[in-house]
Amino acid sequence: MEMLYSSTRSNEKKVKASEAIIKGLSEDGGLFAPHHIPALDKSLKELADMTYQQVAYEVMKLYLTDYTEQELKSCIEKAYDSKFDEESIVPLAEADGAYYMELFHGPTIAFKDMALSILPHLMILAARKNQVKKEIVILTATSGDTGKAALAGFADVEGTRIIVFYPKNGVSPIQEKQMVTQKGKNTLVVGIHGNFDDAQTGVKKLFADSGLEAELAGKGFQFSSANSINIGRLVPQICYYVYAYGRLLGEGKLAEGEKLNVVVPTGNFGNILAAFYAKCMGLPIGKLICASNENKVLYDFFRTGTYDRNRKFVLTSSPSMDILVSSNLERLIYRLAGGDAARNREMMAALNGQGSYEITEEMQEGLSDFYGNYASEQETAAEIKRLYEDCGYVLDPHTAVASAVYRKYVEETGDTGKTVIASTASPFKFTRSVMHAIDGKYDNMEDFALVDALSGLAGVKVPRAIEEIRTAPVLHRKECEVDGMKDVVKEFLGVKCEKKF
């Protein structure tokens, strides 16, 4: 059956997967959502015998139906290859009664590599399929990890340019160094004077600017997105939940059909939404545990049914979760509303206008698959220290948030069922926070000395991604105000900017 997609804000137009990928965001500001969630057509036992690449094909073929088998397998083969430092792609580490699904073995040592390694290949094919002659301009806002992963994926890819906006002073030193040292003639990295929500809102405004769209089209450019709002990002994320279940089943750690709880440190809601889609496909997932840091807008939403971004923005040690507008939640709201685009559009308009919306009691009942909680900065640091001292296993701050929330879930519910925790970043990306949590004696060391200290402490080799940036020159120094993002884009593309008097 062909899979079609429509906007979460309008049911009028249906598009194929390749069209949704090339557009990134619908013209009406909505996200592309699949018309139905397909069922897995391979048994759990069959999946248990597959490699990561084979599982990825079995999942993606159900969503990306206008790609041929050969095209899809070629994209997967190019994406999940030797640039990952683990042959299994996604190893599972058992520690303290849970399985940590390590999603950070790709080229930029964060889970974003899992989708952004394949997105450029899917997008270039999509452009060919849809006779796109214009140069594709990838426009991305990042809270830390998406930016580098997207830059690495699209650097020097013919027919594309990529512009990444990140919150200056709102990412870790290692995250920033990874981005600003990025090579590639088609790349631009810009630090904005604001937070991630400012960057994300600014990018959405550029996508919605019809005048800018027409102006750039006249110059041979077309916008697309590498953010998690792109369905080409979301679909590959489903794969690792299916793979993890199959792996545990194959190793005899799960019985066939036994439910597996999933814990996800959550910011923009894409990663946990992928787990929800996997459950809807028939994967035996029990509870979906949504872990927030002190920007606990999702925790409050799950408890009250009201999404309210009108609150203080907190800079934490887990910056990729420092988000108050979780864009991918819109896809879940659309589903809870029974695919009623008009109803969803009203709620998103309320969020954009007054900064909040409230779902109905009936919709709230549809959230029964989820559990939400949060961890404070103190609890996050304590969890890093505890797990290191008890098990010798070192977590990054995002995974530590998830681990701390999982402990709260068990204490609150008594549910000790098998559980996978999404480990979304290498601790080497956040060495200062990690080493401070373990022992304050490391506080006065410089960043790369901390890297070496962490390597010795954890007994883990320094990742290639870190070694590469030790002495790499800074190539991107651009900064701007939020209202200057449009001019930065036009300048990079060689489009004349309006003079300001």
Side-chain angles (χ1 to χ4, degrees):
M1 184 189 299
E2 185 177 40
M3 176 66 77
L4 295 174
Y5 296 81
S6 59
S7 168
T8 51
R9 301 185 191 181
S10 170
N11 290 330
E12 294 170 11
K13 189 178 179 183
K14 297 174 177 63
V15 301
K16 294 179 179 181
S18 62
E19 292 177 84
I21 288 171
I22 205 72
K23 287 176 180 290
L25 192 68
S26 175
E27 293 91 340
D28 57 18
L31 310 187
F32 288 109
H35 268 219
H36 66 281
I37 305 296
L40 290 166
D41 61 2
K42 289 288 187 288
S43 70
L44 296 173
K45 280 188 175 178
E46 286 175 302
L47 291 166
D49 292 330
M50 294 183 186
T51 64
Y52 189 86
Q53 293 84 346
Q54 290 168 333
V55 169
Y57 173 72
E58 294 302 331
V59 173
M60 290 192 218
K61 73 176 186 184
L62 302 173
Y63 288 92
L64 310 181
T65 54
D66 61 330
Y67 289 79
T68 68
E69 178 178 349
Q70 183 180 356
E71 287 172 339
L72 200 47
K73 285 184 174 178
S74 174
C75 287
I76 289 167
E77 186 181 320
K78 290 172 184 172
Y80 307 113
D81 59 9
S82 60
K83 61 179 163 287
F84 284 80
D85 63 19
E86 280 278 341
E87 189 177 350
S88 66
I89 308 298
V90 179
L92 292 162
E94 189 172 357
D96 197 36
Y99 298 99
Y100 289 83
M101 179 172 62
E102 295 184 347
L103 301 171
F104 54 76
H105 289 278
T108 75
I109 55 176
F111 84 97
K112 308 295 174 75
D113 288 325
M114 299 305 302
L116 283 163
S117 289
I118 193 168
L119 182 62
H121 304 294
L122 294 174
M123 195 169 279
I124 295 304
L125 266 177
R128 287 191 207 136
K129 287 176 178 292
N130 293 281
Q131 288 78 50
V132 173
K133 305 298 182 188
K134 299 181 182 70
E135 191 167 359
I136 299 165
V137 180
I138 307 298
L139 210 56
T140 293
T142 184
S143 53
D145 288 332
T146 285
K148 175 58 183 179
L151 288 161
F154 283 96
D156 290 326
V157 171
E158 191 175 344
T160 69
R161 298 201 201 185
I162 178 166
I163 306 169
V164 169
F165 293 97
Y166 75 97
K168 186 69 181 171
N169 304 318
V171 300
S172 81
I174 296 290
Q175 285 177 311
E176 183 173 44
K177 188 81 185 285
Q178 281 189 300
M179 287 189 284
V180 298
T181 57
Q182 177 64 51
K183 296 176 183 177
K185 292 180 181 179
N186 65 334
T187 66
L188 178 67
V189 179
V190 186
I192 68 152
H193 301 152
N195 60 40
F196 170 72
D197 287 325
D198 296 324
Q200 182 167 250
T201 300
V203 165
K204 285 183 177 179
K205 283 181 179 176
L206 292 174
F207 270 100
D209 189 331
S210 56
L212 178 63
E213 180 185 19
E215 187 178 3
L216 294 183
K219 300 289 185 181
F221 298 110
Q222 174 181 328
F223 280 149
S224 190
S225 172
N227 275 89
S228 60
I229 54 176
N230 193 312
I231 198 69
R233 277 277 305 272
L234 184 62
V235 169
Q237 290 179 276
I238 301 169
C239 304
Y240 43 75
Y241 295 104
V242 178
Y243 175 75
Y245 190 98
R247 183 87 180 265
L248 292 173
L249 176 61
E251 292 175 359
K253 293 171 180 175
L254 271 179
E256 188 174 6
E258 182 180 357
K259 292 209 169 167
L260 179 68
N261 292 328
V262 173
V263 191
V264 186
T266 309
N268 225 10
F269 207 76
N271 207 3
I272 196 165
L273 181 68
F276 174 72
Y277 276 22
K279 179 170 183 171
C280 294
M281 293 176 76
L283 196 70
I285 290 176
K287 193 63 79 172
L288 294 157
I289 300 165
C290 178
S292 299
N293 64 16
E294 289 184 5
N295 293 291
K296 55 188 182 68
V297 63
L298 288 166
Y299 164 74
D300 292 336
F301 170 70
F302 284 119
R303 293 292 165 120
T304 67
T306 297
Y307 193 98
D308 188 355
R309 64 173 170 82
N310 298 308
R311 62 186 68 207
K312 182 183 177 184
F313 183 90
V314 184
L315 286 172
T316 73
S317 60
S318 47
S320 296
M321 298 162 67
D322 289 347
I323 294 172
L324 295 181
V325 179
S326 301
S327 289
N328 264 294
L329 184 64
E330 181 171 345
R331 284 189 172 106
L332 179 63
I333 297 300
Y334 175 71
R335 185 174 175 85
L336 294 176
D340 187 336
R343 196 172 176 188
N344 179 73
R345 188 169 60 245
E346 286 175 10
M347 285 185 280
M348 295 307 116
L351 179 64
N352 191 47
Q354 66 199 41
S356 66
Y357 62 83
E358 186 176 357
I359 63 173
T360 64
E361 283 187 25
E362 182 185 4
M363 291 171 72
Q364 207 167 343
E365 288 171 9
L367 294 174
S368 59
D369 288 328
F370 293 87
Y371 167 91
N373 215 320
Y374 76 100
S376 68
E377 283 290 87
Q378 292 75 19
E379 289 170 328
T380 302
E383 186 67 0
I384 292 171
K385 184 179 180 69
R386 183 191 73 82
L387 211 65
Y388 170 69
E389 291 183 344
D390 291 356
C391 308
Y393 190 63
V394 182
L395 306 175
D396 90 288
H398 303 76
T399 309
V401 167
S403 190
V405 165
Y406 173 58
R407 291 179 68 215
K408 290 184 179 184
Y409 170 76
V410 172
E411 288 168 13
E412 191 176 313
T413 66
D415 180 2
T416 56
K418 305 282 175 57
T419 298
V420 155
I421 297 173
S423 187
T424 53
S426 165
F428 285 96
K429 288 196 98 158
F430 304 94
T431 47
R432 189 159 299 281
S433 297
V434 169
M435 297 301 278
H436 172 75
I438 291 172
D439 195 325
K441 72 181 183 182
Y442 298 104
D443 288 356
N444 294 324
M445 294 174 69
E446 63 92 23
D447 290 315
F448 285 99
L450 283 171
V451 165
D452 295 327
L454 174 58
S455 175
L457 207 67
V460 176
K461 186 180 176 182
V462 176
R464 186 171 60 215
I466 300 295
E467 291 291 5
E468 286 173 353
I469 63 169
R470 273 188 196 264
T471 57
V474 172
L475 302 175
H476 302 272
R477 300 181 185 276
K478 193 86 174 173
E479 295 180 27
C480 76
E481 302 299 328
V482 176
D483 61 7
M485 291 169 65
K486 182 175 177 178
D487 286 340
V488 166
V489 169
K490 292 175 73 171
E491 181 186 352
F492 180 60
L493 299 179
V495 178
K496 191 175 180 182
C497 298
E498 295 175 8
K499 288 184 178 179
K500 294 183 179 180
F501 300 97

